[in-house]
Amino acid sequence: MLIFVIIVLCCIIVGQFIYIRSNKKKVQEVSNILDEVADGNLDRRLLADEDTAISELVYKINDIIIQDKNRLVAANKSEKAYKELVTSLSHDLRTPLASLVGYLEELENDPDEKELFLRTAKNKALDLSDYIQSLFEWLKLESGEWVYHFESENIGEVTRIILADWVVKLEKCGIAFQFDIPEDSIQLITDKRAWERILNNLLSNILKHSQADFLAITLTYDSSEVLITISDNGIGIPEQDLPFIFDRLYKGDRSRSENSNGLGLAIVKELLTALGGTISVQSEIDEGTTFQLQLPHKHE
């Protein structure tokens, strides 16, 4: 009996020794892999058998490595996007600025063309001002510094006031228009300033790029949402561009990008999302383009 007990104890001691040695080896493997991770190899993973003393620890370490890799990928993507933004900005700012300086120099050298050069220089300065304003607005949206003031507004009345400021511009550009905005009181929780920027950007986009001579804006509503449809009869947007027109810095084909900063429609989508709404677009070449905006009556 004593011999049996001694044998059992020896087996237990040997088992514990093997177990400790095995765990020590696994810990060393974990340590080596963590050294690789610390050196920047975030594709390494720790391995462990299930139901072992260190398996739960290994799983948690792997989760941390995966999270760090995801954060690194996101940071690299963000850095690349901002490099592209800076590159685009440097070009887009230089071009109108160089044109402005050029026309002012011509004005100095040829006073007889004063009226033409002044008018052209003014237009270039306005383009530059619009671009800088769009840039600041986008950066505020990107950084989360845009401050929203949500209040109950009569969206029909607010829309009519915004459109009234566009009447002279549309007439000056030779664009006939039709506004169908109900006189009803349509109360909506929204940010009036953001809604103004949304409409202004869409109308500005039409004036600059559509080559339209007719514009129609219709507002309808029911118990759950408000729908605003903005249609023109312009040159349309190529089908391959439609999925990307709300992307930052996307300018589409050359005919639509000469005076574009690639930020206007991106700002529209960002602001509309903040208001709880959505926007969609349909377009046919040489037939025109229709934007449809949806805003919910209830907004969190």
Side-chain angles (χ1 to χ4, degrees):
M1 185 67 180
L2 179 59
I3 294 175
F4 176 75
V5 172
I6 293 173
I7 292 173
V8 171
L9 289 174
C10 288
C11 290
I12 293 174
I13 292 172
V14 171
Q16 288 294 320
F17 175 77
I18 295 174
Y19 177 77
I20 293 172
R21 185 173 181 179
S22 175
N23 276 344
K24 184 176 180 180
K25 182 179 179 182
K26 175 57 70 175
V27 169
Q28 184 60 50
E29 291 177 3
V30 169
S31 178
N32 292 337
I33 293 176
L34 288 178
D35 286 340
E36 292 184 41
V37 171
D39 289 336
N41 184 4
L42 296 180
D43 291 321
R44 288 292 267 136
R45 297 293 181 268
L46 308 180
L47 300 176
D49 296 329
E50 293 185 5
D51 302 325
T52 62
I54 64 171
S55 60
E56 185 176 354
L57 176 62
V58 166
Y59 297 149
K60 290 182 178 180
I61 292 175
N62 282 336
D63 286 340
I64 293 173
I65 295 173
I66 292 171
Q67 291 172 16
D68 283 346
K69 181 178 180 180
N70 291 338
R71 281 192 287 266
L72 180 62
V73 169
N76 289 338
K77 183 178 180 180
S78 178
E79 182 180 0
K80 180 181 178 182
Y82 273 99
K83 285 181 178 178
E84 292 175 353
L85 176 61
V86 170
T87 302
S88 178
L89 293 182
S90 62
H91 173 269
D92 290 341
L93 287 174
R94 266 200 315 266
T95 302
L97 187 58
S99 297
L100 177 59
V101 172
Y103 281 108
L104 291 176
E105 289 176 347
E106 289 296 326
L107 175 61
E108 185 178 31
N109 297 330
D110 188 0
D112 295 336
E113 297 291 337
K114 176 180 178 180
E115 184 176 345
L116 172 62
F117 290 143
L118 279 178
R119 184 168 60 250
T120 307
K122 177 184 176 182
N123 291 336
K124 294 296 181 181
L126 290 174
D127 289 342
L128 187 59
S129 175
D130 287 344
Y131 184 80
I132 292 174
Q133 182 179 1
S134 295
L135 172 60
F136 284 151
E137 288 178 346
W138 176 260
L139 291 177
K140 288 175 69 175
L141 287 169
E142 280 279 273
S143 64
E145 294 180 1
W146 185 291
V147 179
Y148 295 92
H149 300 282
F150 289 100
E151 296 179 354
S152 180
E153 304 281 358
N154 182 348
I155 194 67
E157 179 66 20
V158 171
T159 302
R160 280 194 296 272
I161 292 173
I162 296 171
L163 295 179
D165 291 335
W166 280 89
V167 170
V168 174
K169 296 179 184 177
L170 293 172
E171 291 176 344
K172 186 177 180 180
C173 293
I175 299 179
F177 56 88
Q178 177 180 321
F179 299 153
D180 186 6
I181 311 297
E183 296 286 343
D184 307 352
S185 177
I186 311 168
Q187 294 299 314
L188 199 69
I189 301 298
T190 190
D191 181 304
K192 185 163 60 176
R193 177 169 163 263
W195 180 238
E196 180 180 11
R197 175 47 58 195
I198 289 169
L199 289 182
N200 284 344
N201 280 14
L202 286 170
L203 292 174
S204 177
N205 186 73
I206 291 172
L207 260 64
K208 289 180 180 179
H209 309 301
S210 72
Q211 301 179 28
D213 58 18
F214 179 75
L215 169 70
I217 299 179
T218 303
L219 187 151
T220 58
Y221 69 99
D222 57 26
S223 60
S224 62
E225 64 182 12
V226 174
L227 292 175
I228 298 91
T229 303
I230 303 176
S231 301
D232 67 63
N233 66 344
I235 60 175
I237 303 172
E239 183 178 358
Q240 66 269 21
D241 290 332
L242 286 176
F244 310 106
I245 63 171
F246 297 107
D247 292 351
R248 182 187 65 183
L249 301 181
Y250 190 80
K251 299 182 181 181
D253 65 85
R254 182 178 177 83
S255 65
R256 297 179 60 90
S257 63
E258 292 178 352
N259 296 316
S260 175
N261 54 46
L263 293 174
L265 293 182
I267 290 173
V268 166
K269 186 173 182 180
E270 286 289 325
L271 290 175
L272 201 57
T273 300
L275 300 186
T278 59
I279 184 169
S280 60
V281 59
Q282 294 180 331
S283 189
E284 294 288 341
I285 295 298
D286 297 327
E287 295 291 334
T289 301
T290 297
F291 290 95
Q292 187 170 74
L293 294 71
Q294 173 269 335
L295 289 169
H297 274 298
K298 294 181 179 180
H299 176 254
E300 295 183 3

